[in-house]
């Protein structure tokens, strides 16, 4: 068995040239939801999964599952691909480029109101794992989201989950979405550079970017949503975020393959719950630490509380996500979302952890 990793440049993929997610979805004939399970090279069932940033700690289970050999053990030939933001992973899924996406669960609700049936099949987390950072230069002007008015705030991409959460925090604190400017700056070096150069006053990001910013003293934490407690305080409940989600038609037509994926990911989540941050870091590709293994371990340690141990959707999690999206998203405000169709526990309930 083999698992290959391909980093795709955003421009090369042409995703920025897409007029909109909806037009992309409409053009996607049903290539991702038809046909039988394909075989890669005779070494296992081939599955392509797009991740909204393979080196982000919030999506760590994707690469860790490969490194632990759990895909191989299930007879899967998984190709992991990477894009800088979850919204690009979503686009790749609905356009038929891949069979699965590792990104935030909230995309399943957003897609449902756009006519696309997509569901989370393994829920990695019960908190966002996100942190609202304020630059050192702007920290005197931003003491809470109430101060977002007139500010430039970094998000991974427009329409991404960081964009969603930033808008919610603003609206919740009396700031209209039209009163601040979201700026797409990605994560990692591009986010940090934007912060240091004053292109943004603050923004929402994850580890290891957070750990690097604090180490460089380039900013401070305004809101920490890496734990269930932080999620409760900021959002009013558990917020299921990183997950494996897939088109419902494809899931129903390939249940054996989906079950194998669920088995592999649940094994990983259970493994993570019984090992230290440094042990997890040691399993990851060397370049993920960006030359500082201790800082990378700290980043993992601070983010570990967000992960589930069994891949099961947290109770009341979907309702919290719907409440957050309804606060600012007019499409969802005016729609009746069927939450039961946005996730399934069928496969994690049967998973052999």
């Amino acid at each position: 068995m083999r698992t290959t990793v391909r980093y795709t440049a955003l421009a090369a993929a042409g995703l920025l040239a897409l007029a909109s997610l909806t037009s992309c979805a409409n053009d996607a004939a049903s290539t991702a939801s038809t046909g039988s399970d394909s075989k890669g090279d005779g070494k296992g069932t081939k599955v392509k999964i797009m991740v909204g940033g393979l080196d982000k700690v919030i999506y760590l289970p994707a690469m860790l599952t490969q490194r632990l050999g759990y895909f191989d053990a299930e007879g899967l030939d998984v190709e992991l691909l990477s894009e800088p933001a979850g919204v690009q992973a979503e686009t790749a899924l609905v356009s038929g480029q891949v069979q699965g996406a590792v990104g935030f669960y909230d995309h399943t609700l957003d897609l449902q109101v756009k006519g696309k049936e997509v569901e989370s099949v393994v829920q990695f987390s019960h908190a966002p794992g996100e942190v609202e950072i304020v630059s050192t230069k702007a920290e005197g002007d931003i003491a809470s989201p109430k101060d977002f008015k007139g500010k430039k705030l970094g998000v991974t991409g427009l329409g991404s989950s960081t964009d969603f959460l930033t808008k919610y925090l603003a609206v919740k604190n009396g700031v209209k979405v039209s009163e601040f400017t979201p700026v797409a700056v990605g994560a990692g070096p591009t986010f940090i550079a934007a912060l240091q150069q004053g292109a943004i006053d603050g923004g929402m990001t994850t580890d290891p970017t957070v750990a690097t910013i604090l180490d460089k003293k380039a900013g401070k934490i305004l809101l920490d949503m890496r734990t269930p407690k932080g999620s409760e305080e900021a959002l009013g409940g558990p917020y299921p975020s990183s997950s494996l989600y897939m088109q419902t038609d494809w899931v129903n037509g390939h249940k054996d393959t989906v079950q194998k994926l669920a088995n592999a990911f649940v094994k990983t989540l259970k493994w993570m719950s019984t090992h230290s941050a440094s042990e997890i870091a040691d399993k990851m590709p060397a370049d993920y630490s960006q030359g500082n293994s201790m800082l990378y371990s700290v980043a993992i340690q601070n983010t570990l509380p967000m992960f589930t141990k069994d891949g099961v959707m947290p109770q009341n999690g979907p309702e919290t996500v719907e409440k957050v999206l309804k606060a600012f998203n007019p499409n969802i405000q005016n729609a009746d979302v069927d939450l039961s169709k946005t996730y399934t526990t069928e496969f994690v309930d049967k998973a052999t952890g």
Side-chain angles (χ1 to χ4, degrees), residues 6-305:
R6 179 165 64 87
Y7 290 89
T8 55
L10 194 56
L15 295 175
L16 286 179
L18 293 174
S20 68
L21 174 62
T22 303
S23 63
C24 172
N26 289 341
D27 290 342
S30 50
T31 53
S33 58
T34 59
S36 59
D37 291 350
S38 60
K39 298 291 183 179
D41 52 8
K43 295 184 178 181
T45 301
K46 181 74 173 181
V47 182
K48 291 183 179 181
I49 298 176
M50 183 68 80
V51 184
L54 265 172
D55 57 353
K56 295 178 184 177
V57 179
I58 57 171
Y59 300 141
L60 180 148
M63 177 55 72
L64 183 58
T65 302
Q66 183 266 334
R67 304 286 285 190
L68 291 172
Y70 292 160
F71 290 137
D72 288 356
E74 292 292 331
L76 297 172
D77 178 13
V78 174
E79 183 178 4
L80 296 174
L81 303 97
S82 187
E83 287 291 355
V87 66
Q88 280 92 41
E90 171 194 279
T91 302
L93 180 69
V94 298
S95 65
Q97 297 178 46
V98 296
Q99 289 76 52
V102 170
F104 269 37
Y105 161 72
D106 54 22
H107 290 293
T108 67
L109 281 71
D110 189 49
L111 285 169
Q112 186 181 114
V113 300
K114 294 173 180 176
K116 289 292 175 181
E117 295 297 326
V118 174
E119 60 187 11
S120 165
V121 295
V122 183
Q123 194 60 50
F124 297 166
S125 60
H126 47 191
E130 302 282 354
V131 175
E132 185 68 28
I133 292 282
V134 178
S135 75
T136 302
K137 298 175 183 177
E139 63 178 273
D141 299 324
I142 305 176
S144 81
K146 293 178 182 179
D147 302 319
F148 283 177
K149 187 175 181 178
K151 301 299 188 294
K152 294 175 292 183
L153 301 175
V155 296
T156 52
L158 301 181
S160 67
S161 296
T162 52
D163 189 22
F164 291 165
L165 288 171
T166 301
K167 287 176 178 174
Y168 173 74
L169 291 173
V171 170
K172 180 186 177 186
N173 288 276
V175 179
K176 298 177 182 178
V177 295
S178 61
E179 293 181 323
F180 70 94
T181 304
V183 183
V185 292
T190 54
F191 185 101
I192 297 168
L195 199 69
Q196 292 177 317
Q197 295 166 11
I200 56 175
D201 301 299
M204 191 171 293
T205 191
T206 61
D207 276 311
T209 307
V210 175
T212 303
I213 289 170
L214 298 179
D215 185 60
K216 292 178 177 289
K217 295 181 171 51
K220 71 170 188 177
I221 293 175
L222 183 69
L223 288 173
D224 191 341
M225 295 176 284
R226 291 176 292 188
T227 68
K229 182 175 182 290
S231 176
E232 180 76 37
E233 291 173 354
L235 306 173
Y239 196 93
S241 57
S242 56
S243 65
L244 170 68
Y245 62 88
M246 312 178 88
Q247 293 202 60
T248 301
D249 283 350
W250 199 91
V251 171
N252 291 337
H254 304 78
K255 289 196 172 187
D256 287 347
T257 298
V258 177
Q259 186 62 62
K260 291 175 180 179
L261 287 167
N263 291 345
F265 280 124
V266 169
K267 286 178 185 176
T268 297
L269 292 168
K270 290 187 176 180
W271 187 93
M272 289 170 61
S273 72
T274 59
H275 289 76
S276 68
S278 60
E279 289 173 325
I280 295 171
D282 287 343
K283 290 290 185 181
M284 302 301 288
D287 61 332
Y288 281 22
S289 68
Q290 299 177 9
N292 192 329
S293 58
M294 183 175 294
L295 193 64
Y296 184 54
S297 292
V298 169
I300 292 175
Q301 180 63 45
N302 288 335
T303 306
L304 274 177

Side-chain angles (χ1 to χ4, degrees), residues 305-321:
M306 74 173 280
F307 293 107
T308 67
K309 297 179 181 180
D310 53 14
V312 175
M313 176 65 72
Q315 188 174 7
N316 300 323
E319 289 79 7
T320 303
V321 172

